[in-house]
Amino acid sequence: MIYHSIALFVLFRIIYAINKNLNPEKNSTSKEANPFMRYIALAYMSNPQSPKGAVPNVVALEVLRKNGIDIDKLIKLITAGVGAEFTTYYYYTILRMHCTGLEGEGIKEIVEDARIEDRNHFEAMVPRLYELGGALPRDIRKFADQAGCPDAYLPDNWEDINSILKVLLEAEQCAIRSWGEVCDMTTGKDPRTYDIAQRIMQEEVEHEAWFIELLSKRPSGHFRRKFVGQSPHTGDQGSLIHL
Amino acid sequence: MSYRPVCKSDEIREKSMKMFKVDHTEVLVGRLNGRLFACNNSCPHRGASLVKGELKGDNVVCWMHGYEYNVFTGKLENMKSWKKENTWMEQSSEWRRSGDLTLYPIMEKEGNVYVCL
């Protein structure tokens, strides 16, 4: 009985303190609010996707704001960018399966390199998205709908290998635009995001050069990766990449 | 809400646009057929920087996906595609969805341009 009474007292005390911190204007003594309870109150109100809630003051974000970064906009751009990488990985799987015949065999491994490296781009940037306070949408349909690039659908005339190459090229070019926006927004202001985005950009630019070479015979420096999905620039980025 | 000076009038030449930062907001200011316009620099579709686009008729064309917005009404006018079709109609309707441009009142006075955020 005594234990129950103590437990009830503590519970009421916590509820009172949370209420006091959530509605400081109603409390004349709000200046005396316990900082820890303020933390609990903020956590209580925070992102429902995150059970432990937001930390009141993230210095890494404060620095970005002081540098003039619009964090909400950056989160949107990154979410769109990683959405494009993820959907591209999915659609490239279909495209690669349709690289058939003698001509298809010639580009199959190049498509595979681009496919795995695009997945790596997703893996490299997603941790940063969460650091910035963003999150992947709970529903993958929403994720795909807000992707920064259109779906790289298998063309109707897929037996013409050039039609597949055109889709691949367009997807890479869109990704360059998408990450270019992130680079432009973060250069000199958010070195961590910029570093990851520019590494992704470097590989996207290489992918574009491969597909331009294959379509137009324009010379390029492309030879071959050491192994499939090597990601020479983003390979050591992000905790989610497993090579 | 009050008008803020952004630049000298002669900085915005006919059929040109420039981006200015006003109170942490990126504002795109331009001139078409002698008329000034001001809108938010973010494309309503995917947030690309509109100043990287181009002007075509009364529209600004976003460089990322070719979406065209009327700079005086803010309305989406066209979804030009650099893909296989002329538009993005093969894409899902949710992906194609876009709001309108955020427009700001703009005026020119004594050789200066002012916008109201």
Side-chain angles (χ1 to χ4, degrees):
Chain A
M1 187 65 185
I2 291 172
Y3 290 125
H4 284 156
S5 301
I6 292 170
L8 272 172
F9 173 77
V10 170
L11 183 64
F12 283 131
R13 184 71 194 154
I14 288 171
I15 291 170
Y16 169 75
I18 286 175
N19 186 52
K20 188 170 139 183
N21 282 279
L22 283 174
N23 304 290
E25 72 279 5
K26 291 179 184 173
N27 299 287
S28 57
T29 56
S30 61
K31 284 178 186 172
E32 298 162 15
N34 181 338
F36 177 70
M37 292 314 298
R38 174 113 187 109
Y39 167 76
I40 297 289
L42 285 165
Y44 174 76
M45 298 190 305
S46 69
N47 184 353
Q49 287 191 38
S50 173
K52 288 185 179 175
V55 177
N57 182 35
V58 181
V59 175
L61 298 183
E62 184 186 309
V63 168
L64 301 187
R65 285 192 197 95
K66 286 192 184 297
N67 285 346
I69 292 270
D70 180 342
I71 295 175
D72 289 338
K73 185 180 175 185
L74 181 59
I75 285 172
K76 281 181 188 167
L77 286 175
I78 291 176
T79 308
V82 296
E85 299 290 355
F86 194 83
T87 51
T88 298
Y89 169 65
Y90 174 83
Y91 286 111
Y92 276 23
T93 308
I94 298 171
L95 294 173
R96 194 205 65 186
M97 297 300 174
H98 288 77
C99 294
T100 57
L102 282 174
E103 283 185 317
E105 193 62 28
I107 70 162
K108 190 175 282 184
E109 290 195 25
I110 297 168
V111 179
E112 180 66 357
D113 279 335
R115 186 180 81 97
I116 301 297
E117 290 188 359
D118 281 357
R119 189 202 66 187
N120 289 346
H121 299 165
F122 169 82
E123 305 278 27
M125 190 56 94
V126 164
R128 184 61 183 148
L129 173 66
Y130 279 81
E131 283 178 357
L132 290 166
L136 294 174
R138 186 167 174 266
D139 188 326
I140 195 170
R141 280 158 284 263
K142 188 179 175 192
F143 188 43
D145 285 337
Q146 67 186 43
C149 294
D151 294 323
Y153 289 133
L154 179 72
D156 294 335
N157 57 337
W158 59 266
E159 288 177 56
D160 173 8
I161 210 71
N162 276 358
S163 68
I164 289 183
L165 282 170
K166 282 178 188 168
V167 173
L168 292 162
L169 175 61
E170 285 154 359
E172 299 299 341
Q173 290 175 331
C174 182
I176 291 170
R177 289 188 177 99
S178 182
W179 293 117
E181 285 290 335
V182 175
C183 285
D184 288 350
M185 189 174 176
T186 54
T187 183
K189 296 176 181 172
D190 175 1
R192 186 161 165 80
T193 304
Y194 177 80
D195 182 53
I196 303 169
Q198 67 85 15
R199 286 166 187 269
I200 294 174
M201 271 281 279
Q202 293 205 39
E203 288 173 12
E204 301 291 16
V205 169
E206 288 177 3
H207 296 175
E208 182 194 37
W210 301 349
F211 296 129
I212 285 178
E213 177 198 330
L214 289 164
L215 271 169
S216 71
K217 298 189 188 299
R218 184 189 79 149
S220 85
H222 178 237
F223 185 53
R224 59 186 296 188
R225 296 296 200 212
K226 289 177 183 167
F227 51 88
V228 171
Q230 179 196 355
S231 278
H233 303 282
T234 57
D236 58 354
Q237 284 295 307
S239 56
L240 300 174
I241 290 181
H242 305 287
L243 293 174
Chain B
M1 295 234 301
S2 60
Y3 278 90
R4 308 285 185 84
V6 287
C7 64
K8 298 279 182 192
S9 291
D10 55 11
E11 285 185 55
I12 311 295
R13 294 180 183 168
E14 177 63 24
K15 223 173 178 185
S16 75
M17 54 186 177
K18 277 187 175 180
M19 193 270 286
F20 299 93
K21 210 153 192 179
V22 183
D23 291 344
H24 302 293
T25 301
E26 289 187 352
V27 180
L28 184 69
V29 175
R31 193 190 302 272
L32 280 172
N33 301 318
R35 282 178 73 191
L36 283 169
F37 65 86
C39 62
N40 193 288
N41 187 45
S42 282
C43 176
H45 181 229
R46 285 295 181 273
S49 182
L50 288 171
V51 74
K52 295 178 191 169
E54 57 187 49
L55 292 169
K56 180 183 160 193
D58 282 353
N59 298 341
V60 59
V61 185
C62 179
W63 79 302
M64 191 172 276
H65 301 118
Y67 274 43
E68 294 181 18
Y69 303 86
N70 186 303
V71 294
F72 299 113
T73 66
K75 298 291 178 193
L76 174 66
E77 299 276 346
N78 190 14
M79 292 184 293
K80 187 182 74 178
S81 163
W82 30 253
K83 219 179 168 194
K84 60 183 177 180
E85 306 293 342
N86 289 328
T87 69
W88 293 111
M89 291 307 287
E90 83 276 24
Q91 294 292 319
S92 78
S93 57
E94 281 302 311
W95 187 87
R96 284 184 274 128
R97 188 198 296 263
S98 168
D100 295 330
L101 285 181
T102 302
L103 300 180
Y104 303 117
I106 186 165
M107 70 171 190
E108 204 167 9
K109 194 177 174 185
E110 295 168 357
N112 291 307
V113 175
Y114 300 81
V115 293
C116 182
L117 300 191

